[in-house]
């Protein structure tokens, strides 16, 4: 547990029985996101009371001391995160649908969320595997982040010689791998691209309850998630605090109460 209101820098560690103080953050923040383990963690983004604005700061923890790491490309708060110290994901936030991926050295842009959401649930095991759900504006939608599809391109194909126009390959700075798939005068080739395909969000199962806030976590080592508590509305649209716990089954992509 890290940070808090009024730019607090406190860190607390849990050993399964009790909490104890850890090393202080380099920069005090509120509403930041932390991922990783007790001895190898990241904290990124959040709100700075002293600056009266969101921050793009990233801090990493070795079990005793926090140090500054490469900053996010965008200052953000109300976002969610997933992954580890060396393979992390930052996504969403108030008034944005940005996704950023961290490789242990620097942040780069990933595929945008389909829905703008802030103060929402999010969890996952790496920069290429995460789930975003609920949030503000109040919603029950879920999205799953997964690796992008292999890049393919169609080139002219000569049926008599079985050759493609190599000039096209050179123009696009690409080489082929695998086998050709031919159809009439076209050939579709699996390509080795100088750029990795962008990971993308896709629609997943809706939560039972529309809510924002609360906490979320993975459990069981299977990719299943829990969504706990938060703020919802009753039948007359008054905000109410929920005690409901929902479980996400990653195999069938369904939430249950």
């Amino acid at each position: 547990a890290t940070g808090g209101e009024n730019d607090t820098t406190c860190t607390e560690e849990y050993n399964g029985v009790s909490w104890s103080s850890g090393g202080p953050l380099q920069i005090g923040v509120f509403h930041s996101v932390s991922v990783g383990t007790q001895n190898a963690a990241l904290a990124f983004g959040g709100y700075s009371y002293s600056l009266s604005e969101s921050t793009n700061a990233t801090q990493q923890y070795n079990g005793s001391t926090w140090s500054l790491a490469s900053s996010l490309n965008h200052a953000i708060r109300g976002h969610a995160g997933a992954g580890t110290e060396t393979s992390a994901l930052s996504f969403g936030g108030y008034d944005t649908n940005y996704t950023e991926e961290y490789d242990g050295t620097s942040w780069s842009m990933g595929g945008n969320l389909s829905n703008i959401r802030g103060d929402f649930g999010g969890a996952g095991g790496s920069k290429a595997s995460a789930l975003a759900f609920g949030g503000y504006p109040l919603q029950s939608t879920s999205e799953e982040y997964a690796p992008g599809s292999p890049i393919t391109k169609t080139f002219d194909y000569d049926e008599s010689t079985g050759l493609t126009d190599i000039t096209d390959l050179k123009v696009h700075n690409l080489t082929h791998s695998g086998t050709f798939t031919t159809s009439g005068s076209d050939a579709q080739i699996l390509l080795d691209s100088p750029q990795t395909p962008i990971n993308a969000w896709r629609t997943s199962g809706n939560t039972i309850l529309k809510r924002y806030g609360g906490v979320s976590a993975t459990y069981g080592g299977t990719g299943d998630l829990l969504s706990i508590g938060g703020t919802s509305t009753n039948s007359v649209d008054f905000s109410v605090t929920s005690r409901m716990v929902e479980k996400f089954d990653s195999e069938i992509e369904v939430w249950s109460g």
Side-chain angles (χ1 to χ4, degrees), residues 11-28:
T11 298
E12 295 195 32
E13 302 175 354
Y14 188 65
N15 62 8
V17 178
S18 60
W19 291 90
S20 60
S21 296
L25 291 163
Q26 292 285 318
I27 301 173

Side-chain angles (χ1 to χ4, degrees), residues 12-13 21 29-31 45 59 73 77 86 91 97 100 109 125 136-137 150 180-181 194 206 208-209 220 255:
E12 295 195 32
E13 302 175 354
S21 296
V29 286
F30 171 63
H31 235 211
Q59 304 176 64
N73 291 288
R77 65 188 173 103
T86 57
F91 46 102
N97 62 348
E100 298 196 33
M109 300 305 297
Y136 188 86
F180 295 159
T181 300
N206 287 354
I208 298 171
L209 190 67
W255 290 90

Side-chain angles (χ1 to χ4, degrees), residues 104-150:
T105 302
S106 60
W107 292 93
S108 59
M109 300 305 297
N112 289 344
L113 284 161
S114 299
N115 297 288
I116 290 176
R117 60 181 85 216
D119 201 8
F120 61 101
S126 73
K127 67 178 183 178
S129 175
L131 191 74
F133 49 92
Y136 188 86
L138 196 62
Q139 57 191 291
S140 61
T141 60
S142 293
E143 299 180 52
E144 185 176 352
Y145 198 61
S149 301

Side-chain angles (χ1 to χ4, degrees), residues 1-3 9-25 37-41 60-66:
T2 60
T9 60
C10 71
T11 298
E12 295 195 32
E13 302 175 354
Y14 188 65
N15 62 8
V17 178
S18 60
W19 291 90
S20 60
S21 296
L25 291 163
T37 66
Q38 184 170 297
N39 295 316
Q60 59 186 31
Y61 192 61
N62 62 8
S64 59
T65 304
W66 288 94

